[in-house]
Amino acid sequence: MRKVFIIGIGSGNPDYVTVQAINALNEVDVFFMMDKGCEKEDLVRLRKEICERYIKDKSYRTVDVRDPERDRTVSSYEAGVRAWHEQRAAVYERLIRQELGEEECGAFLVWGDPCLYDSTLRIIHQIIARGTVAFEFEVIPGISSVQALAARHGITLNRIGEPIHITTGRRISEGHQRCHSDARRRMFLQARQRS
C-alpha cells in the first residue's frame, strides 16, 4: 500500500531536523515539493538542501508542483482558506495517485511541526475522507518556531500550573487580546459558582 509521510523539518535551521525525521527521509521514494512562486522559492530550495544533507541513498525523486494560490479578495478569511484547501486537496490527491507507486513511500516536508498551523494534515484527512485513493500516512513531529524561539531565549512557554495560548499574528493584528491568567481564573471561579 502507498504510504505518505508528513515530516516536520523544523523552523528553517537544518540542524533542527530530528533523528526521527532523518530516518523517515531515508524511507521516501518521492518528495512532493509545493512551489509557492518566486517570493518563496527559497523554501523549496531549503527543502531540497535538507534532502541532500540527510538522505544517504540519492535514488529518490522530487515532484515539483505549483501550489494553488489562495484568493485573498474574499470577505471571509475562513471561506477563502476552505476553498484553497479544496484546491490543494485535489492537487495532493492527484500527486499521490499518479506519482506514487502502489508500494512506494511519498512525503510532504512541512516547516515547523505538522500539527501546528500547517494545513497539510487537514488536507490529508480530506483526501482520506473522499476514499478515492488508498494510502496510509504517518506524521513525524518537528521543532516549531515557538519551541526554537523559547529555547533561543532560555525561557519556558508556560508558568507553573498555567496554560499557554498560541495564536497567529493575524489574530493579534485584528485586535484579539491575549487571555491573561487572572482573567482565566475569574472565568473558572464564576463557572464553578454557577454549578
Side-chain angles (χ1 to χ4, degrees):
M1 177 179 271
R2 294 176 177 101
K3 181 170 183 175
V4 173
F5 278 116
I6 305 167
I7 304 174
I9 55 172
S11 55
N13 183 341
D15 291 337
Y16 288 162
V17 176
T18 67
V19 172
Q20 185 183 19
I22 292 169
N23 290 337
L25 288 169
N26 279 283
E27 290 184 43
V28 174
D29 300 298
V30 184
F31 289 95
F32 303 119
M33 302 285 181
M34 304 307 293
D35 179 4
K36 296 186 177 199
C38 293
E39 63 273 358
K40 295 192 177 181
E41 65 188 15
D42 286 348
L43 299 178
V44 172
R45 182 188 48 75
L46 189 53
R47 282 181 171 98
K48 290 180 179 181
E49 285 177 17
I50 287 171
C51 290
E52 285 293 317
R53 179 174 177 176
Y54 290 115
I55 298 174
K56 295 175 189 138
D57 177 4
K58 305 301 182 192
S59 65
Y60 66 86
R61 64 189 192 281
T62 60
V63 176
D64 294 43
V65 64
R66 182 71 179 182
D67 197 13
E69 284 193 41
R70 180 167 57 88
D71 183 357
R72 297 177 189 277
T73 63
V74 295
S75 58
S76 166
Y77 172 74
E78 286 81 9
V81 170
R82 275 194 300 276
W84 178 48
H85 284 182
E86 281 296 325
Q87 292 175 328
R88 288 180 112 194
V91 170
Y92 289 16
E93 183 177 359
R94 179 181 53 79
L95 289 171
I96 293 167
R97 183 186 303 108
Q98 295 178 0
E99 300 292 342
L100 198 58
E102 284 298 328
E103 298 301 319
E104 285 189 316
C105 180
F108 293 93
L109 304 181
V110 174
W111 295 112
D113 185 272
C115 299
L116 184 63
Y117 290 134
D118 188 76
S119 61
T120 305
L121 188 53
R122 281 187 210 95
I123 292 167
I124 292 297
H125 283 290
Q126 280 181 265
I127 296 167
I128 289 171
R130 292 176 182 177
T132 57
V133 60
F135 65 96
E136 59 185 23
F137 74 94
E138 184 176 342
V139 178
I140 307 298
I143 295 174
S144 69
S145 58
V146 174
Q147 294 164 288
L149 187 61
R152 171 71 108 196
H153 291 284
I155 60 172
T156 57
L157 289 174
N158 66 314
R159 294 190 176 113
I160 296 172
E162 295 291 330
I164 62 171
H165 181 88
I166 299 174
T167 190
T168 63
R170 178 179 291 107
R171 292 185 65 85
I172 291 170
S173 69
E174 290 172 353
H176 293 272
Q177 293 184 358
R178 199 181 74 157
C179 191
H180 297 284
S181 58
D182 288 341
R184 286 191 183 184
R185 266 193 224 103
R186 282 194 300 275
M187 290 177 1
F188 174 74
L189 291 172
Q190 289 170 351
R192 279 184 60 185
Q193 289 170 349
R194 284 190 214 120
S195 53

